Amino acid sequence: MRFDFVKCHGSGNDFPLIDARAIELDDAAWAGVARALADRRGPVGGDGLLLLTDGDKLHDFGMRMFNADGSEAETCLNGLRCVARAGFDALGIDRAEVRLKTSSAHAERDADLAPGVVSVRETAGPADLDVTHWPLIEAETGAGHEIVQRPIAMLPSRRSFTAVAMPNPHLVSFVETVDEAELVAVGEACEAAPEWLPNRANVSFVEQRGADLFVRTFERGVGLTDSCGSAMAASVFAACLTGRAEFGVELSVFNRGGLVRAQAESDGMVRLSGNATYDWTGSAEVDADRGIAGDVKVDRHFNDEIAAWAAVVDGIS
């Protein structure tokens, strides 16, 4: 089956995005499409697959996000900005209520983050601190429903973590310097879906840099990624919760892919403003059963957008 898509990214978190409003496929087929198009060894590659889906009485349109391994995430805030841009363009609107897998989000066009950088502001939440919803089961300690700034005995690290669902689950640890080997070890322990964490979780190490944050994430279903929007939202909320930042105050959150502006509120809502950049549009043949993509045709490169975002990254590196 041939699919048209746009290759896009939010803060370096890159995806093929398909307008799926008129496409009828079951979840297993979409999982196969995601494995094919997001495969870094294949002709397209990405951190996952984004779908623009139909709206309903409460939502202007919907979004689905499949990780590179074919699993479906509750949300992806970097991807949401890209889907919102596609939805805005398709419907001729500038703001929308967007249906996610287990929640909703608000998105609206924002002033450009930098010259030529198309930007979207999104509001997601509320953050959920009850880990029994994940579930995360601390049988060894008999601890309560919340994990805020304390070690988790089952992890291969004695660092303190804060657990935040945004709405996908995140474990956040504030560190002096990111140790990627340690981050991978903790991430792989969660990725193994042990009995105490059957649905896995995302793991982030966060450096505080003055008033701002730098976030490095091992993403569930992906691995180490240059950026994860919900991880940045969870990290900002965790920073406020632990007194490292103030609720209601906007700060910059940096990552390997670039940056966003973020603000957490005491009611658990988090606002992110960042890019929704188009790199190119094209199409590809996909064998969903085998998870293989081929015969890619590129229709257009968005050279001005690519250059505008490159200037942002060069300015912070």
Side-chain angles (χ1 to χ4, degrees):
M1 186 174 181
R2 191 163 197 89
F3 292 91
D4 295 315
F5 59 88
V6 57
K7 187 68 188 298
C8 55
H9 77 86
S11 197
N13 208 183
D14 66 321
F15 313 91
L17 187 164
I18 294 173
D19 184 345
R21 291 174 298 163
I23 302 175
E24 294 187 8
L25 289 178
D26 62 23
D27 291 354
W30 279 125
V33 175
R35 290 194 300 271
L37 292 180
D39 185 355
R40 290 293 184 190
R41 300 164 298 180
V44 179
D47 287 324
L49 171 69
L50 301 175
L51 304 180
L52 171 64
T53 61
D54 282 324
D56 54 32
K57 291 182 180 180
L58 299 178
H59 305 90
D60 298 281
F61 51 83
M63 165 189 162
R64 298 183 72 182
M65 186 275 189
F66 288 85
N67 294 311
D69 67 354
S71 61
E72 186 172 5
E74 290 88 346
T75 189
C76 169
L77 296 183
N78 286 331
L80 172 59
R81 298 198 301 276
C82 297
V83 173
R85 176 181 175 178
F88 295 159
D89 292 345
L91 300 178
I93 57 178
D94 289 324
R95 61 184 59 226
E97 299 302 319
V98 186
R99 183 183 63 249
L100 307 176
K101 182 182 179 184
T102 60
S103 61
S104 299
H106 175 79
E108 58 187 75
R109 291 192 186 276
D110 202 1
D112 289 356
L113 191 69
V117 177
V118 177
S119 300
V120 172
R121 180 173 290 274
E122 57 198 342
T123 303
D128 184 359
L129 299 179
D130 190 339
V131 298
T132 64
H133 296 161
W134 297 19
L136 189 159
I137 305 165
E138 288 192 291
E140 295 180 20
T141 63
H145 290 191
E146 294 185 4
I147 298 172
V148 178
Q149 194 72 9
R150 62 177 176 81
I152 299 174
M154 297 81 75
L155 292 177
S157 170
R158 299 280 66 83
R159 294 188 185 275
S160 294
F161 289 86
T162 297
V164 182
M166 210 57 225
N168 42 349
H170 291 270
L171 294 174
V172 178
S173 184
F174 293 90
V175 301
E176 289 294 324
T177 303
V178 172
D179 182 331
E180 287 197 356
E182 184 183 4
L183 175 58
V184 168
V186 176
E188 288 180 343
C190 294
E191 187 73 0
E195 290 185 3
W196 57 272
L197 189 65
N199 295 320
R200 306 176 296 169
N202 305 279
V203 182
S204 293
F205 282 0
V206 182
E207 297 176 13
Q208 192 162 12
R209 298 180 175 181
D212 300 320
L213 304 177
F214 173 83
V215 180
R216 189 78 168 115
T217 301
F218 188 102
E219 187 173 0
R220 180 180 60 171
V222 178
L224 275 180
T225 181
D226 283 347
S227 176
C228 175
S230 59
M232 290 187 286
S235 297
V236 171
F237 187 79
C240 294
L241 192 67
T242 59
R244 293 176 169 85
E246 294 184 36
F247 287 113
V249 176
E250 189 175 65
L251 65 156
S252 294
V253 185
F254 298 92
N255 52 66
R256 287 284 185 89
L259 80 157
V260 299
R261 298 289 294 170
Q263 180 174 320
E265 304 295 344
S266 57
D267 63 0
M269 303 305 290
V270 180
R271 290 194 293 275
L272 296 183
S273 182
N275 71 302
T277 299
Y278 286 178
D279 286 335
W280 53 277
T281 58
S283 62
E285 285 289 339
V286 173
D287 183 335
D289 291 335
R290 300 169 63 199
I292 297 174
D295 189 26
V296 173
K297 295 181 180 178
V298 178
D299 299 322
R300 174 189 176 187
H301 283 99
F302 292 79
N303 293 321
D304 290 345
E305 293 194 32
I306 294 170
W309 184 251
V312 171
V313 175
D314 289 345
I316 60 176
S317 60

